[in-house]
């Protein structure tokens, strides 16, 4: 149902766009709660919680649920609950950790964690959502932010000018279409190789026949 919602930490203020209600080619971090499977992937069910880091150069592939650019994710069954559900986003020492509490027991369950995520300071927080033909309603009751204390003796690094980046991107599952294309490509290559071999044999055979005929002609001239 619906399409989903997203929590944003981006360079620009929010602009209406195709990525869960916000602009594509964003610069920053997106935490996405995808409530509808556009790709019908067998790997997981929806709703699905995932993250994407972008420096403004990559487009979110909505038709494939962004699986080629997600850092990681997990299933989160937050639909039709009679209690509040919680999502925790922790960013510390270039490590992004996503947790959730779907049972409203104040006990965090891990979703995923990945290191090597570099985010600038001074970006904007925001939230957006979008829906398709099938509507779905999700209420954001509250958003709480906390500043983590640094270890004693370690300076607090301010880095407003770096580009968002991530050292790890989850490998995209191979498409069935791509798998089906591989045999046809190997078949074409095999056919071309066989054709070249056959042509080579024919050329060698013709040259051999010509040499043989020349030798026979020379032998006849000797007898005369």
């Amino acid at each position: 149902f619906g399409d989903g919602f997203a929590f944003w930490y981006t360079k620009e203020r929010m602009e209406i766009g195709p990525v869960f209600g916000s602009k594509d080619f964003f610069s920053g971090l997106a935490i996405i709660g995808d409530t509808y499977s556009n790709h019908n992937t067998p790997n997981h069910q929806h709703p699905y919680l995932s993250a994407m880091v972008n420096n403004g150069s990559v487009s979110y592939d909505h038709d494939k649920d962004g699986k080629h650019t997600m850092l990681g994710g997990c299933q989160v069954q937050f639909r039709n609950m009679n209690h509040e559900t919680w999502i925790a986003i922790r960013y510390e020492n270039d490590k992004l950790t996503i947790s959730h509490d779907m049972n409203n027991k104040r006990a965090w369950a891990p979703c995923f964690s990945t290191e090597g995520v570099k985010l600038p300071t001074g970006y904007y927080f925001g939230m957006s959502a979008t829906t398709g033909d099938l509507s779905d309603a999700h209420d954001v009751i509250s958003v709480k932010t906390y500043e983590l204390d640094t270890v004693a003796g370690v300076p607090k690094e301010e880095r407003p000018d770096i580009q968002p980046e991530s050292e790890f991107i989850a490998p995209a599952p191979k498409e069935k279409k791509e798998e089906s294309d591989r045999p046809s490509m190997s078949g074409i290559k095999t056919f071309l190789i066989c054709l070249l071999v056959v042509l080579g044999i024919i050329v060698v055979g013709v040259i051999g026949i010509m040499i043989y005929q020349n030798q026979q002609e020379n032998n006849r001239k000797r007898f005369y």
Side-chain angles (χ1 to χ4, degrees):
F1 299 97
D3 269 329
F5 57 88
F7 168 86
W8 302 93
Y9 177 68
T10 57
K11 182 178 181 179
E12 299 86 8
R13 291 182 181 273
M14 188 169 295
E15 299 178 18
I16 296 177
V19 184
F20 298 95
S22 189
K23 63 176 290 186
D24 200 0
F25 295 99
F26 63 92
S27 180
L29 169 69
I31 306 297
I32 299 170
D34 194 343
T35 60
Y36 184 81
S37 176
N38 295 287
H39 187 55
N40 295 321
T41 175
N43 297 335
H44 59 75
Q45 301 296 320
H46 285 67
Y48 195 76
L49 187 65
S50 65
M52 175 181 176
V53 170
N54 197 353
N55 61 5
S57 64
V58 181
S59 176
Y60 177 83
D61 192 343
H62 191 75
D63 291 335
K64 295 182 179 179
D65 297 325
K67 69 177 185 177
H68 294 298
T69 52
M70 68 173 61
L71 300 179
C74 64
Q75 295 176 208
V76 281
Q77 299 301 326
F78 50 69
R79 180 181 281 119
N80 297 327
M81 293 292 190
N82 294 322
H83 54 261
E84 295 178 354
T85 55
W86 301 77
I87 297 173
I89 305 166
R90 184 184 182 96
Y91 178 66
E92 183 180 15
N93 297 328
D94 294 338
K95 181 179 181 180
L96 178 67
T97 302
I98 308 298
S99 307
H100 60 79
D101 176 13
M102 297 294 106
N103 299 316
N104 196 25
K105 293 184 178 180
R106 301 300 191 271
W108 297 113
C111 178
F112 73 91
S113 180
T114 180
E115 298 184 356
V117 177
K118 298 185 182 300
L119 296 173
T121 56
Y123 277 21
Y124 297 97
F125 291 109
M127 296 199 69
S128 66
T130 188
T131 188
D133 294 333
L134 300 175
S135 62
D136 204 9
H138 299 277
D139 297 326
V140 179
I141 304 300
S142 65
V143 176
K144 299 179 181 180
T145 59
Y146 302 91
E147 183 177 4
L148 300 177
D149 294 330
T150 56
V151 180
V154 177
K156 185 180 295 184
E157 183 182 5
E158 293 290 342
R159 46 183 190 184
D161 299 325
I162 68 170
Q163 290 291 323
E165 64 177 83
S166 174
E167 296 178 359
F168 174 78
I169 295 180
K174 297 177 181 178
E175 300 289 336
K176 294 182 179 179
K177 183 177 180 180
E178 293 175 358
E179 294 175 355
S180 62
D181 285 346
R182 288 183 179 177
S184 61
M185 289 300 294
S186 60
I188 294 174
K189 290 180 181 179
T190 303
F191 171 76
L192 292 175
I193 292 173
C194 293
L195 180 61
L196 291 175
V197 171
V198 171
L199 291 175
I201 293 174
I202 292 174
V203 171
V204 172
V206 170
I207 294 174
I209 293 172
M210 293 175 64
I211 294 173
Y212 175 77
Q213 289 177 346
N214 288 334
Q215 290 178 348
Q216 292 295 321
E217 186 69 24
N218 291 333
N219 291 335
R220 289 174 186 172
K221 289 180 179 179
R222 289 177 186 175
F223 287 115
Y224 293 121

